[in-house]
Amino acid sequence: NISEGNMLEWANVHGYLYGTSKKQLKEIQSRDHYSLLEIDVQGWKTAKEKLKAAVAIFILPPSLKALWLRLEKRGTDSLETRWKRLLNAKKEIEDANDYDFFIINDEVQRAYQELESIIIKGSKGNINKELGVAYCQKLLEEFDHNPWFQELKKKIP
């Protein structure tokens, strides 16, 4: 049941509802465990004020072209849906200032090790906030200046 009283945060993402149950969080905390939440950017905007001690990690693609190729490789979405997901990724990347750490998911095992290092060992990660925000700016420039993106826009109805 999605309501403000039951959920820490919730969002409609690509037509699906996702959220974090307050009841489940309280249950985890009652056992003196930490919670690892996978929250999209919309949900984080709501949750960050309620989770003062949280560490926010933004996982980024190596490039927008790589993200597009990953969406294509899935083979589950239409061209229009993939386009919508790419534009949503752009909006999410624009909100990078809300995050503490950044991981570039260019190689799964390395990205996992970096995530593990931040969460378990308290590492500062390989990309600090300043470098992460700069990397996000580089990704955003792909939308305006990269020829592959300009060609892709022409294909979208």
Side-chain angles (χ1 to χ4, degrees):
N1 180 13
I2 293 188
S3 73
E4 192 66 31
N6 294 330
M7 305 299 286
L8 171 72
E9 57 80 27
W10 66 274
N12 184 328
V13 181
H14 307 293
Y16 297 96
L17 295 177
Y18 295 94
T20 305
S21 161
K22 286 180 180 178
K23 181 180 177 183
Q24 288 179 330
L25 280 176
K26 286 179 183 174
E27 185 178 312
I28 291 167
Q29 291 169 341
S30 73
R31 294 187 211 146
D32 290 328
H33 293 310
Y34 292 104
S35 301
L36 176 61
L37 306 176
E38 180 186 355
I39 301 176
D40 78 311
V41 173
Q42 292 177 63
W44 179 240
K45 285 180 182 181
T46 303
K48 69 181 176 180
E49 295 302 319
K50 300 171 187 172
L51 299 172
K52 297 290 185 193
V55 172
I57 304 168
F58 198 122
I59 300 177
L60 295 160
S63 69
L64 293 176
K65 187 170 187 177
L67 176 60
W68 179 258
L69 293 173
R70 289 174 184 176
L71 291 171
E72 279 189 323
K73 190 175 179 180
R74 280 187 195 172
T76 58
D77 296 321
S78 68
L79 177 63
E80 293 80 15
T81 299
R82 292 192 314 269
W83 177 252
K84 182 179 178 182
R85 287 181 180 273
L86 191 66
L87 292 179
N88 285 342
K90 179 183 184 235
K91 289 177 191 169
E92 291 175 351
I93 292 167
E94 289 170 347
D95 291 330
N97 286 326
D98 287 341
Y99 291 82
D100 304 307
F101 300 101
F102 296 83
I103 296 173
I104 298 170
N105 186 13
D106 52 355
E107 195 276 304
V108 175
Q109 189 60 35
R110 190 209 50 76
Y112 173 78
Q113 288 171 344
E114 192 168 343
L115 178 65
E116 181 181 51
S117 178
I118 293 168
I119 293 171
I120 295 175
K121 299 175 186 169
S123 162
K124 299 293 183 201
N126 293 332
I127 302 177
N128 65 25
K129 185 167 187 145
E130 183 179 335
L131 289 174
V133 170
Y135 188 82
C136 288
Q137 286 305 116
K138 178 183 154 208
L139 290 175
L140 292 172
E141 288 174 14
E142 266 190 81
F143 279 99
D144 297 325
H145 304 294
N146 200 299
W148 79 266
F149 186 75
Q150 302 307 317
E151 287 301 313
L152 180 61
K153 282 200 303 192
K154 293 176 188 176
K155 297 178 186 177
I156 305 302

